[in-house]
Amino acid sequence: MSSPKSPTEYDDIGDIDITLMTLRKPTELKKVIDSVPKPVRSVPKNGLPMWYRLGLESKLPVPKMPLGKIIFARGKIGEDVRRVGLGGTGPQPTFDLTDPYCHNVSYDYVPMHDPHLAHHFAQKPARNRMKFLGFCTKDGRAVCSLKEFNQYRKYLYNQFMDRIHQEMKRLDERARDDLTLRRVEVDVARRLQVFIRAERTREHLERIAQEHADEWAEKKRQAKEQEKKIQARMKYLAEYNEKQRKERAARAYEKQNRIKQRVQAAAEMELRRKITMVRQWRANEKKRVNRLKQEKEAKQKRLETEANNKWMARVEAQNKKIQEESLLLKLYAEDMNAGAMRRAKKAEIYAYNTDLELQRIRLANWKLMHGGHAKAAQLVRKMGVEFEKSKRGAKGMSLELAHRMAAEAMTTALSTQGDALMTLGQARARMDIETILPPAPIKLLDEVLESVVMEFARRRVNLLLRDVERVVRHRAADVFFVDYRPRPKKSMKKHKRYSMQLATELARQYATVQGQAILFGDIVNIQSDETTDQIMKSVKDRPPTPVPSKTKLAEVTFIDRVEDLPDPVAVPSYLPERRKLLEMVNAAAKLLSRNVSQTVHKGMDVTIGKVTLPVMRHPMEWGEAVEGLASAVVNNRVNADCADIRRTGEFLANRILKSLQQEMKIEKEKKKHPKTSGDAESEPQSDFYVPDRANSPEKEESPKT
């Protein structure tokens, strides 16, 4: 039997469905066949597992196996395998006259399975000689060929089907007996009901008779008289019927004599016809035997020729395969050498870049050691001291709490580089909120801010995806439909390649933040209210504007009144979070446009006008793409290796290539069925000729109008 599959092999649901469809479903006939024991010895010892699943009507195939792995034997020497192989439980086989010439099953005489020669083969010299010649095994089994074994299986199949037919006949008889018994039971029940009704009627009549005795006596006398009349009538009819029967018997005897004479004449004619038929059959049989002999010789010659041709083809195929393998090994060795050289060069480049990165890290650490963290810690301490002074007397306020709140507020405010004064203003506002409000409202405010930032990112990403799809599709369509939509000739300038043109266009649209759809509204140029005639100095010649230190800014922020400071929420253009989101969206636009343009360029075949859709491991919708890219923008995960950028790029490329594929089908249909003139487009087609419409010009012009 075949070994069971491992659980990993059932991952492919399609294969399991196909296997279930090919399996045979159990039926009532299958149950009857399984109830009959199959003949033994239908499969040789050490046979293949699949042979036990084959039915007896199937032949055992010729396997490719080592010499002596499977030995075909029908039984031991001296056994009558045609009776032993059927087993002793079922009925013994009877004469089968359905195949008188043994076309289906061969009944050749086999001396080794003759029970009368068992004493001869049991002798030791004869047994040793047979073992030496290979006619029997060590345990006394007679060796046969695969063809003889398949003939033996066909014999077992015929006997097995006879037993199945007998079993089906027995089941049919049993079913008929059960049906008869059920009918008898129903009839007995019906007769019992009739008898019960008759008894009830008789009891009722007796009761009425006792009540009306005189009336019934008169009726009884009349009934006796009527009975006498009926008996006389019946006697007369019996005599009449006897007379009629004797007359019919005489006529039937005469008719029988005539039939006997005709039957004798027909028998003589049939005998002559049979003699003629036997003579004709013998002549035809002789012709058939000669024809079969000629066909057998021709078939043997044809098989020998086919075997020789197959052998020569196999030799040529193996020689060709050896040559191909040697060529492939040579190519493989060359590829491995080239790959080794590429890997060595790549390792050198990687080592050089690693050294540069280590130098950059050392430089950054050196800068941090010389005042980076120290200045930040000094600023936080100064903020804590000033905040503790301004909020002194508040419930639970201490210098340690002020320092901790200042550190948290500065960490939140310094998420991006922005205006120093506005950053400190945000920290001041957050520390005031934490002092006044309990933690729960602060958490709600944080959630509201996060939702607002996420919604802002979604809107910008949605506009970004639409712009990228529009620009890339427009540029790809110009290249893809160049043979189907020819443009007018322009000046003889050398055009850039498709990738360079698209990169230039996208860089022009998404390189800067100003003037694009991913910004906060449109840019409005505000004219100055005052003009001057004096010559203004250029920025290059101006002295540098003095910038106060962060320590002084902290003193100003926490000492002055809050009303004098600019509100970071009321002035949205100064929010560093918004600037950070715009920078992330800008970076995402550059990466996404490059990825989509490269994927679309690879999927287009301009020569034949076909599109190859990229393989999407995870199908997406528009909302999923917007949500994934927005989360990457908010979480500062926009880089060349970002999975959301890659999946969104595949999604947009798939949409663009699908639209190009549909438009190309339309263009090809138009090119395949061109229309001759504008009249043919406007005038409807008609299957009949109308003379009035052909003669009158008004009716010809009516469809055009």
mmCIF file of all heavy atoms in Angstrom, residues 367-381:
data_model
loop_
_atom_site.group_PDB
_atom_site.id
_atom_site.type_symbol
_atom_site.label_atom_id
_atom_site.label_comp_id
_atom_site.label_asym_id
_atom_site.label_seq_id
_atom_site.Cartn_x
_atom_site.Cartn_y
_atom_site.Cartn_z
ATOM 1 N N LYS A 367 31.375 64.168 19.039
ATOM 2 C CA LYS A 367 30.589 65.402 19.204
ATOM 3 C C LYS A 367 29.702 65.328 20.437
ATOM 4 O O LYS A 367 29.546 66.299 21.172
ATOM 5 C CB LYS A 367 29.744 65.640 17.958
ATOM 6 C CG LYS A 367 30.554 66.071 16.751
ATOM 7 C CD LYS A 367 29.638 66.342 15.560
ATOM 8 C CE LYS A 367 30.448 66.806 14.357
ATOM 9 N NZ LYS A 367 29.559 67.060 13.189
ATOM 10 N N LEU A 368 29.114 64.140 20.688
ATOM 11 C CA LEU A 368 28.259 64.014 21.869
ATOM 12 C C LEU A 368 29.065 64.138 23.157
ATOM 13 O O LEU A 368 28.604 64.700 24.163
ATOM 14 C CB LEU A 368 27.530 62.668 21.833
ATOM 15 C CG LEU A 368 26.423 62.530 20.790
ATOM 16 C CD1 LEU A 368 25.866 61.120 20.795
ATOM 17 C CD2 LEU A 368 25.307 63.533 21.062
ATOM 18 N N MET A 369 30.273 63.603 23.149
ATOM 19 C CA MET A 369 31.099 63.682 24.352
ATOM 20 C C MET A 369 31.539 65.101 24.655
ATOM 21 O O MET A 369 31.865 65.431 25.795
ATOM 22 C CB MET A 369 32.337 62.790 24.197
ATOM 23 C CG MET A 369 32.036 61.307 24.337
ATOM 24 S SD MET A 369 33.532 60.289 24.427
ATOM 25 C CE MET A 369 34.304 60.686 22.879
ATOM 26 N N HIS A 370 31.556 65.958 23.657
ATOM 27 C CA HIS A 370 32.020 67.331 23.863
ATOM 28 C C HIS A 370 30.863 68.316 23.960
ATOM 29 O O HIS A 370 30.846 69.369 23.320
ATOM 30 C CB HIS A 370 32.982 67.745 22.743
ATOM 31 C CG HIS A 370 34.301 67.050 22.804
ATOM 32 N ND1 HIS A 370 34.453 65.734 22.396
ATOM 33 C CD2 HIS A 370 35.534 67.464 23.248
ATOM 34 C CE1 HIS A 370 35.714 65.374 22.560
ATOM 35 N NE2 HIS A 370 36.391 66.401 23.089
ATOM 36 N N GLY A 371 29.828 67.971 24.705
ATOM 37 C CA GLY A 371 28.814 68.982 25.047
ATOM 38 C C GLY A 371 27.439 68.738 24.539
ATOM 39 O O GLY A 371 26.544 69.517 24.857
ATOM 40 N N GLY A 372 27.126 67.653 23.732
ATOM 41 C CA GLY A 372 25.770 67.455 23.224
ATOM 42 C C GLY A 372 24.775 67.156 24.327
ATOM 43 O O GLY A 372 23.825 67.895 24.576
ATOM 44 N N HIS A 373 24.975 66.096 25.069
ATOM 45 C CA HIS A 373 24.068 65.712 26.148
ATOM 46 C C HIS A 373 24.187 66.673 27.334
ATOM 47 O O HIS A 373 23.204 66.916 28.049
ATOM 48 C CB HIS A 373 24.393 64.280 26.607
ATOM 49 C CG HIS A 373 24.035 63.256 25.589
ATOM 50 N ND1 HIS A 373 22.742 63.021 25.200
ATOM 51 C CD2 HIS A 373 24.808 62.409 24.864
ATOM 52 C CE1 HIS A 373 22.718 62.061 24.289
ATOM 53 N NE2 HIS A 373 23.971 61.668 24.065
ATOM 54 N N ALA A 374 25.358 67.206 27.569
ATOM 55 C CA ALA A 374 25.542 68.119 28.710
ATOM 56 C C ALA A 374 24.701 69.383 28.543
ATOM 57 O O ALA A 374 24.023 69.838 29.485
ATOM 58 C CB ALA A 374 27.023 68.478 28.859
ATOM 59 N N LYS A 375 24.668 69.942 27.312
ATOM 60 C CA LYS A 375 23.853 71.140 27.078
ATOM 61 C C LYS A 375 22.367 70.837 27.223
ATOM 62 O O LYS A 375 21.612 71.632 27.793
ATOM 63 C CB LYS A 375 24.154 71.686 25.692
ATOM 64 C CG LYS A 375 25.545 72.289 25.564
ATOM 65 C CD LYS A 375 25.761 72.869 24.174
ATOM 66 C CE LYS A 375 27.150 73.490 24.053
ATOM 67 N NZ LYS A 375 27.385 74.055 22.693
ATOM 68 N N ALA A 376 21.944 69.655 26.698
ATOM 69 C CA ALA A 376 20.523 69.309 26.834
ATOM 70 C C ALA A 376 20.144 69.129 28.296
ATOM 71 O O ALA A 376 19.077 69.575 28.755
ATOM 72 C CB ALA A 376 20.238 68.027 26.051
ATOM 73 N N ALA A 377 21.010 68.460 29.090
ATOM 74 C CA ALA A 377 20.719 68.273 30.522
ATOM 75 C C ALA A 377 20.699 69.613 31.257
ATOM 76 O O ALA A 377 19.849 69.852 32.138
ATOM 77 C CB ALA A 377 21.770 67.343 31.136
ATOM 78 N N GLN A 378 21.582 70.519 30.901
ATOM 79 C CA GLN A 378 21.605 71.844 31.542
ATOM 80 C C GLN A 378 20.325 72.605 31.233
ATOM 81 O O GLN A 378 19.737 73.255 32.115
ATOM 82 C CB GLN A 378 22.831 72.623 31.055
ATOM 83 C CG GLN A 378 22.970 74.014 31.697
ATOM 84 C CD GLN A 378 24.173 74.757 31.151
ATOM 85 O OE1 GLN A 378 24.871 74.223 30.283
ATOM 86 N NE2 GLN A 378 24.426 75.958 31.648
ATOM 87 N N LEU A 379 19.844 72.508 29.967
ATOM 88 C CA LEU A 379 18.603 73.184 29.592
ATOM 89 C C LEU A 379 17.421 72.616 30.362
ATOM 90 O O LEU A 379 16.567 73.360 30.863
ATOM 91 C CB LEU A 379 18.373 73.033 28.086
ATOM 92 C CG LEU A 379 17.047 73.602 27.556
ATOM 93 C CD1 LEU A 379 16.954 75.087 27.814
ATOM 94 C CD2 LEU A 379 16.912 73.299 26.063
ATOM 95 N N VAL A 380 17.355 71.268 30.495
ATOM 96 C CA VAL A 380 16.237 70.658 31.219
ATOM 97 C C VAL A 380 16.260 71.078 32.688
ATOM 98 O O VAL A 380 15.215 71.362 33.293
ATOM 99 C CB VAL A 380 16.294 69.123 31.070
ATOM 100 C CG1 VAL A 380 15.292 68.454 31.995
ATOM 101 C CG2 VAL A 380 16.012 68.731 29.633
ATOM 102 N N ARG A 381 17.454 71.118 33.312
ATOM 103 C CA ARG A 381 17.525 71.556 34.710
ATOM 104 C C ARG A 381 17.064 72.998 34.858
ATOM 105 O O ARG A 381 16.327 73.342 35.794
ATOM 106 C CB ARG A 381 18.962 71.406 35.214
ATOM 107 C CG ARG A 381 19.362 69.965 35.492
ATOM 108 C CD ARG A 381 20.622 69.902 36.351
ATOM 109 N NE ARG A 381 21.761 70.547 35.708
ATOM 110 C CZ ARG A 381 22.599 69.920 34.893
ATOM 111 N NH1 ARG A 381 22.438 68.637 34.634
ATOM 112 N NH2 ARG A 381 23.606 70.568 34.342
#
